[in-house]
Amino acid sequence: MKANPVRYSIRPSNPEAHLFSVTCTVALPDPAGQRLSLPTWIPGSYLIREFARHIVHISARGGRRPAALEKIDKNTWVAEPVEGPLTIQYEVYAFDSSVRGAYLDTRRGFFNGPCLFLKVHGREDQPHEVQLLPPRGARYGRWRVATAMRATDADRRRYGVYRAADYQELIDHPVEMGEFSLVTFRAAGVAHDLVISGRHDADLDRLARDLKRLCETQIAFWGEAPVDRYIFLVNAVDEGYGGLEHSACAALLCGRDDLPRRGLREPDERYRTFLGLASHEYFHTWNVKRIRPAAFTPYDLDRENYTRSLWAFEGITSYYDDLLLRRAGLISEQTYLEILGSTITQVLRGPGRRRQTVADSSFDAWIKYYRPDENTPNAVVSYYQKGSLIALCLDLLIRERSGGRRSLDHVMRALWRRHGRSGVAVPEDGVEQLAEEVTGLRLKGFFDLALRSTAELPLARLLRTVGIEMVLRPAESASDRGGKRATRPQAELAVRADLGARIRAEGGELRVTHVLDGGAAQRAGLCAGDVIFALDGLRVTGKNLEERLARLRAGQRCRLHAFRRDELMSFDVRFPRPPSDTCVLVPITDRQAERRRRAWLKRA
């Protein structure tokens, strides 16, 4: 079969209506009738998203004549047999501002390949070309293009022709269009671009300097960079958070105040959050994009791809994202321990960890983790958060039992050499087997406990091996995320009234979003969706709820009034003792343990 490229052209044809116009041309279509389909999900986000629902019009031509196009299922079409090239023309509605979709308005255009590029069946392994065209009109005269895809013929604004080796490579390069900030830097000899869309007043020099240090630390960690050019595509909005990894790019969503302002001396909490997000997606350049589970090799984008190993590909990445900020010298040891304490707190506050294993959380991500509801905290454990704590325990356990001669770092680099460089997929138990091989340790008992049971992790014992005491206390308030010492005495916290529910203030109302297993709210009969308006006959609001609860103590009762839909409800609430589920990590004095801690957290 002659290897003619599949060709596309994409134009933001109607930004006011959020429409991209796309053409797909197949030089030598299947003589029996060409089959085409649009992916149902995007790698890195494990949920069936049905991108085909955004196609608002589609038609076909064979040469110069119209050709019949039959839709045979939710995301697949078949064109009638034609002589000469087959051209598919279609429009795609784009109004998803997340990192996973496609978006277009008069300020900005953005798309991921699975949202716009029809797959031409039988031609997936051939070269693919795409021509990126600008929107028409003077108001778009300053728009330009940013993408990691390789250009073969582009103008100064980077509109033009781009080429990918095959369909999988084509859809792995998101595209940003619009007016954006651009700063470039080199890290370990690799060119990096930082693109920021949206209004902001970020210190771009600071951003470039910090990201350079982070990228150099990660490249040194792995021993090499698998790309010669990388792009961070950042969308700065009022409030937002999210990221999606690609082979040579990361799409990031952040609040504009998460970016560093000029004059910032040390990274504040919001900037640390952004750096952690960038670190996470950059680590994926190796772990998941190239060190890939067998279930994703190759990706089947028409249906769910099940694996029980996301604890390794997302959880281990979540462990290293903040750890490498510390090793890069971007955060202090104390800050890292606060972040780690907050992660432990989040896991301890989720009753779902007692019901779902991390392996099952990974397998059911398609129907549970990415489709949260009011019962999610009680039924689901995060393979990101608990997975990161499993990685922590595994790292410290290896260091302890090998006398410091081996660590999780060695396991990850062995994964890169065996699976990342070669492209050989990682079997379901591949990480477990390689960890034993590299370290010479028997680790099956640990993996059975951590991955395939709901038993608590041995965090306290293992943290003590590196001179850290894990202290648990009750929360000070609903906004207490852990990681820091309490400002009030332990005796006072031990009798604090805890409602056992998560509440969101919206439109002047206090709406219950989640009722936690075994808490005061569940025992009293409150439900998610109830709107609380009074405690003991006094009105409560988003401003005074914490103050009202602070006047109550464990063992007391109160009368709570709420609306359930349009019905007035009254509840007798009795407050149990609050759980000690807030973690603080405290360094302890022990010279040998301090040496081990320095080796673990050493600055690169």
PDB file of all heavy atoms in Angstrom, residues 42-61:
ATOM      1  N   ILE A  42      -9.319  10.509  25.907  1.00  0.00           N
ATOM      2  CA  ILE A  42      -7.991  11.048  25.646  1.00  0.00           C
ATOM      3  C   ILE A  42      -7.002  10.441  26.627  1.00  0.00           C
ATOM      4  O   ILE A  42      -7.275  10.366  27.832  1.00  0.00           O
ATOM      5  CB  ILE A  42      -7.987  12.595  25.738  1.00  0.00           C
ATOM      6  CG1 ILE A  42      -6.605  13.161  25.403  1.00  0.00           C
ATOM      7  CG2 ILE A  42      -8.448  13.082  27.114  1.00  0.00           C
ATOM      8  CD1 ILE A  42      -6.602  14.680  25.231  1.00  0.00           C
ATOM      9  N   PRO A  43      -5.862   9.934  26.152  1.00  0.00           N
ATOM     10  CA  PRO A  43      -4.877   9.350  27.056  1.00  0.00           C
ATOM     11  C   PRO A  43      -4.495  10.305  28.191  1.00  0.00           C
ATOM     12  O   PRO A  43      -4.290  11.496  27.981  1.00  0.00           O
ATOM     13  CB  PRO A  43      -3.678   9.074  26.129  1.00  0.00           C
ATOM     14  CG  PRO A  43      -4.303   8.814  24.797  1.00  0.00           C
ATOM     15  CD  PRO A  43      -5.466   9.785  24.730  1.00  0.00           C
ATOM     16  N   GLY A  44      -4.422   9.735  29.390  1.00  0.00           N
ATOM     17  CA  GLY A  44      -4.084  10.517  30.577  1.00  0.00           C
ATOM     18  C   GLY A  44      -5.284  10.915  31.398  1.00  0.00           C
ATOM     19  O   GLY A  44      -5.144  11.345  32.544  1.00  0.00           O
ATOM     20  N   SER A  45      -6.497  10.769  30.833  1.00  0.00           N
ATOM     21  CA  SER A  45      -7.726  11.111  31.547  1.00  0.00           C
ATOM     22  C   SER A  45      -8.715   9.975  31.306  1.00  0.00           C
ATOM     23  O   SER A  45      -9.278   9.864  30.213  1.00  0.00           O
ATOM     24  CB  SER A  45      -8.291  12.438  31.055  1.00  0.00           C
ATOM     25  OG  SER A  45      -9.417  12.821  31.805  1.00  0.00           O
ATOM     26  N   TYR A  46      -8.905   9.154  32.323  1.00  0.00           N
ATOM     27  CA  TYR A  46      -9.519   7.846  32.131  1.00  0.00           C
ATOM     28  C   TYR A  46     -11.033   7.896  32.342  1.00  0.00           C
ATOM     29  O   TYR A  46     -11.575   7.430  33.339  1.00  0.00           O
ATOM     30  CB  TYR A  46      -8.828   6.833  33.048  1.00  0.00           C
ATOM     31  CG  TYR A  46      -7.329   6.923  32.885  1.00  0.00           C
ATOM     32  CD1 TYR A  46      -6.518   7.432  33.900  1.00  0.00           C
ATOM     33  CD2 TYR A  46      -6.727   6.582  31.674  1.00  0.00           C
ATOM     34  CE1 TYR A  46      -5.147   7.568  33.717  1.00  0.00           C
ATOM     35  CE2 TYR A  46      -5.352   6.718  31.487  1.00  0.00           C
ATOM     36  CZ  TYR A  46      -4.567   7.210  32.516  1.00  0.00           C
ATOM     37  OH  TYR A  46      -3.219   7.357  32.328  1.00  0.00           O
ATOM     38  N   LEU A  47     -11.682   8.480  31.323  1.00  0.00           N
ATOM     39  CA  LEU A  47     -13.134   8.605  31.301  1.00  0.00           C
ATOM     40  C   LEU A  47     -13.580   8.659  29.846  1.00  0.00           C
ATOM     41  O   LEU A  47     -12.963   9.349  29.030  1.00  0.00           O
ATOM     42  CB  LEU A  47     -13.577   9.879  32.027  1.00  0.00           C
ATOM     43  CG  LEU A  47     -15.084  10.166  32.031  1.00  0.00           C
ATOM     44  CD1 LEU A  47     -15.820   9.149  32.894  1.00  0.00           C
ATOM     45  CD2 LEU A  47     -15.363  11.583  32.534  1.00  0.00           C
ATOM     46  N   ILE A  48     -14.639   7.936  29.521  1.00  0.00           N
ATOM     47  CA  ILE A  48     -15.199   7.998  28.182  1.00  0.00           C
ATOM     48  C   ILE A  48     -15.891   9.350  28.027  1.00  0.00           C
ATOM     49  O   ILE A  48     -16.861   9.645  28.725  1.00  0.00           O
ATOM     50  CB  ILE A  48     -16.187   6.852  27.925  1.00  0.00           C
ATOM     51  CG1 ILE A  48     -15.465   5.501  28.062  1.00  0.00           C
ATOM     52  CG2 ILE A  48     -16.817   6.983  26.552  1.00  0.00           C
ATOM     53  CD1 ILE A  48     -14.356   5.270  27.063  1.00  0.00           C
ATOM     54  N   ARG A  49     -15.391  10.182  27.114  1.00  0.00           N
ATOM     55  CA  ARG A  49     -15.870  11.558  27.001  1.00  0.00           C
ATOM     56  C   ARG A  49     -16.710  11.802  25.748  1.00  0.00           C
ATOM     57  O   ARG A  49     -17.307  12.858  25.601  1.00  0.00           O
ATOM     58  CB  ARG A  49     -14.685  12.534  27.028  1.00  0.00           C
ATOM     59  CG  ARG A  49     -13.929  12.453  28.345  1.00  0.00           C
ATOM     60  CD  ARG A  49     -12.845  13.501  28.483  1.00  0.00           C
ATOM     61  NE  ARG A  49     -12.160  13.334  29.754  1.00  0.00           N
ATOM     62  CZ  ARG A  49     -12.584  13.839  30.907  1.00  0.00           C
ATOM     63  NH1 ARG A  49     -13.679  14.575  30.935  1.00  0.00           N
ATOM     64  NH2 ARG A  49     -11.914  13.616  32.028  1.00  0.00           N
ATOM     65  N   GLU A  50     -16.743  10.849  24.834  1.00  0.00           N
ATOM     66  CA  GLU A  50     -17.611  10.931  23.651  1.00  0.00           C
ATOM     67  C   GLU A  50     -17.375  12.220  22.863  1.00  0.00           C
ATOM     68  O   GLU A  50     -18.264  13.044  22.681  1.00  0.00           O
ATOM     69  CB  GLU A  50     -19.089  10.821  24.060  1.00  0.00           C
ATOM     70  CG  GLU A  50     -19.413   9.681  25.010  1.00  0.00           C
ATOM     71  CD  GLU A  50     -19.253   8.293  24.397  1.00  0.00           C
ATOM     72  OE1 GLU A  50     -18.566   8.166  23.369  1.00  0.00           O
ATOM     73  OE2 GLU A  50     -19.787   7.341  24.958  1.00  0.00           O
ATOM     74  N   PHE A  51     -16.162  12.404  22.366  1.00  0.00           N
ATOM     75  CA  PHE A  51     -15.837  13.623  21.634  1.00  0.00           C
ATOM     76  C   PHE A  51     -16.679  13.783  20.364  1.00  0.00           C
ATOM     77  O   PHE A  51     -16.886  14.904  19.894  1.00  0.00           O
ATOM     78  CB  PHE A  51     -14.350  13.646  21.282  1.00  0.00           C
ATOM     79  CG  PHE A  51     -13.440  13.739  22.482  1.00  0.00           C
ATOM     80  CD1 PHE A  51     -12.479  12.774  22.723  1.00  0.00           C
ATOM     81  CD2 PHE A  51     -13.561  14.787  23.384  1.00  0.00           C
ATOM     82  CE1 PHE A  51     -11.646  12.858  23.830  1.00  0.00           C
ATOM     83  CE2 PHE A  51     -12.738  14.884  24.490  1.00  0.00           C
ATOM     84  CZ  PHE A  51     -11.778  13.912  24.719  1.00  0.00           C
ATOM     85  N   ALA A  52     -17.177  12.687  19.826  1.00  0.00           N
ATOM     86  CA  ALA A  52     -17.971  12.777  18.594  1.00  0.00           C
ATOM     87  C   ALA A  52     -19.256  13.571  18.792  1.00  0.00           C
ATOM     88  O   ALA A  52     -19.829  14.069  17.818  1.00  0.00           O
ATOM     89  CB  ALA A  52     -18.299  11.372  18.082  1.00  0.00           C
ATOM     90  N   ARG A  53     -19.704  13.716  20.022  1.00  0.00           N
ATOM     91  CA  ARG A  53     -20.947  14.469  20.259  1.00  0.00           C
ATOM     92  C   ARG A  53     -20.792  15.947  19.900  1.00  0.00           C
ATOM     93  O   ARG A  53     -21.792  16.660  19.740  1.00  0.00           O
ATOM     94  CB  ARG A  53     -21.396  14.319  21.712  1.00  0.00           C
ATOM     95  CG  ARG A  53     -20.471  14.939  22.735  1.00  0.00           C
ATOM     96  CD  ARG A  53     -20.807  14.446  24.145  1.00  0.00           C
ATOM     97  NE  ARG A  53     -19.840  14.873  25.125  1.00  0.00           N
ATOM     98  CZ  ARG A  53     -19.985  15.931  25.913  1.00  0.00           C
ATOM     99  NH1 ARG A  53     -21.085  16.682  25.832  1.00  0.00           N
ATOM    100  NH2 ARG A  53     -19.067  16.258  26.798  1.00  0.00           N
ATOM    101  N   HIS A  54     -19.555  16.417  19.754  1.00  0.00           N
ATOM    102  CA  HIS A  54     -19.334  17.826  19.440  1.00  0.00           C
ATOM    103  C   HIS A  54     -19.251  18.098  17.940  1.00  0.00           C
ATOM    104  O   HIS A  54     -19.089  19.258  17.547  1.00  0.00           O
ATOM    105  CB  HIS A  54     -18.067  18.318  20.134  1.00  0.00           C
ATOM    106  CG  HIS A  54     -18.148  18.291  21.629  1.00  0.00           C
ATOM    107  ND1 HIS A  54     -19.140  18.941  22.326  1.00  0.00           N
ATOM    108  CD2 HIS A  54     -17.372  17.667  22.567  1.00  0.00           C
ATOM    109  CE1 HIS A  54     -18.971  18.731  23.628  1.00  0.00           C
ATOM    110  NE2 HIS A  54     -17.917  17.957  23.789  1.00  0.00           N
ATOM    111  N   ILE A  55     -19.328  17.059  17.121  1.00  0.00           N
ATOM    112  CA  ILE A  55     -19.387  17.280  15.667  1.00  0.00           C
ATOM    113  C   ILE A  55     -20.809  17.717  15.318  1.00  0.00           C
ATOM    114  O   ILE A  55     -21.769  16.971  15.512  1.00  0.00           O
ATOM    115  CB  ILE A  55     -18.997  16.012  14.897  1.00  0.00           C
ATOM    116  CG1 ILE A  55     -17.513  15.693  15.119  1.00  0.00           C
ATOM    117  CG2 ILE A  55     -19.282  16.173  13.398  1.00  0.00           C
ATOM    118  CD1 ILE A  55     -17.013  14.467  14.389  1.00  0.00           C
ATOM    119  N   VAL A  56     -20.937  18.929  14.801  1.00  0.00           N
ATOM    120  CA  VAL A  56     -22.278  19.476  14.538  1.00  0.00           C
ATOM    121  C   VAL A  56     -22.693  19.324  13.080  1.00  0.00           C
ATOM    122  O   VAL A  56     -23.874  19.477  12.751  1.00  0.00           O
ATOM    123  CB  VAL A  56     -22.355  20.956  14.966  1.00  0.00           C
ATOM    124  CG1 VAL A  56     -22.135  21.090  16.456  1.00  0.00           C
ATOM    125  CG2 VAL A  56     -21.337  21.810  14.210  1.00  0.00           C
ATOM    126  N   HIS A  57     -21.728  19.065  12.201  1.00  0.00           N
ATOM    127  CA  HIS A  57     -22.047  18.839  10.792  1.00  0.00           C
ATOM    128  C   HIS A  57     -20.898  18.065  10.168  1.00  0.00           C
ATOM    129  O   HIS A  57     -19.728  18.324  10.472  1.00  0.00           O
ATOM    130  CB  HIS A  57     -22.230  20.161  10.041  1.00  0.00           C
ATOM    131  CG  HIS A  57     -22.308  19.988   8.551  1.00  0.00           C
ATOM    132  ND1 HIS A  57     -23.426  19.507   7.914  1.00  0.00           N
ATOM    133  CD2 HIS A  57     -21.382  20.211   7.571  1.00  0.00           C
ATOM    134  CE1 HIS A  57     -23.207  19.453   6.611  1.00  0.00           C
ATOM    135  NE2 HIS A  57     -21.967  19.876   6.376  1.00  0.00           N
ATOM    136  N   ILE A  58     -21.219  17.094   9.296  1.00  0.00           N
ATOM    137  CA  ILE A  58     -20.181  16.329   8.622  1.00  0.00           C
ATOM    138  C   ILE A  58     -20.691  15.900   7.252  1.00  0.00           C
ATOM    139  O   ILE A  58     -21.861  15.550   7.087  1.00  0.00           O
ATOM    140  CB  ILE A  58     -19.755  15.103   9.475  1.00  0.00           C
ATOM    141  CG1 ILE A  58     -18.561  14.384   8.834  1.00  0.00           C
ATOM    142  CG2 ILE A  58     -20.916  14.146   9.706  1.00  0.00           C
ATOM    143  CD1 ILE A  58     -17.913  13.351   9.760  1.00  0.00           C
ATOM    144  N   SER A  59     -19.801  15.960   6.262  1.00  0.00           N
ATOM    145  CA  SER A  59     -20.156  15.539   4.903  1.00  0.00           C
ATOM    146  C   SER A  59     -18.902  15.031   4.217  1.00  0.00           C
ATOM    147  O   SER A  59     -17.782  15.201   4.713  1.00  0.00           O
ATOM    148  CB  SER A  59     -20.771  16.695   4.112  1.00  0.00           C
ATOM    149  OG  SER A  59     -19.823  17.749   3.966  1.00  0.00           O
ATOM    150  N   ALA A  60     -19.097  14.394   3.029  1.00  0.00           N
ATOM    151  CA  ALA A  60     -17.966  13.803   2.316  1.00  0.00           C
ATOM    152  C   ALA A  60     -18.064  14.100   0.828  1.00  0.00           C
ATOM    153  O   ALA A  60     -19.150  14.311   0.275  1.00  0.00           O
ATOM    154  CB  ALA A  60     -17.936  12.290   2.550  1.00  0.00           C
ATOM    155  N   ARG A  61     -16.886  14.114   0.197  1.00  0.00           N
ATOM    156  CA  ARG A  61     -16.808  14.248  -1.254  1.00  0.00           C
ATOM    157  C   ARG A  61     -15.794  13.244  -1.775  1.00  0.00           C
ATOM    158  O   ARG A  61     -14.735  13.030  -1.175  1.00  0.00           O
ATOM    159  CB  ARG A  61     -16.387  15.663  -1.673  1.00  0.00           C
ATOM    160  CG  ARG A  61     -17.352  16.748  -1.259  1.00  0.00           C
ATOM    161  CD  ARG A  61     -16.934  18.102  -1.837  1.00  0.00           C
ATOM    162  NE  ARG A  61     -17.080  18.134  -3.293  1.00  0.00           N
ATOM    163  CZ  ARG A  61     -18.228  18.423  -3.898  1.00  0.00           C
ATOM    164  NH1 ARG A  61     -19.324  18.704  -3.192  1.00  0.00           N
ATOM    165  NH2 ARG A  61     -18.288  18.447  -5.219  1.00  0.00           N
TER     166      ARG A  61
END
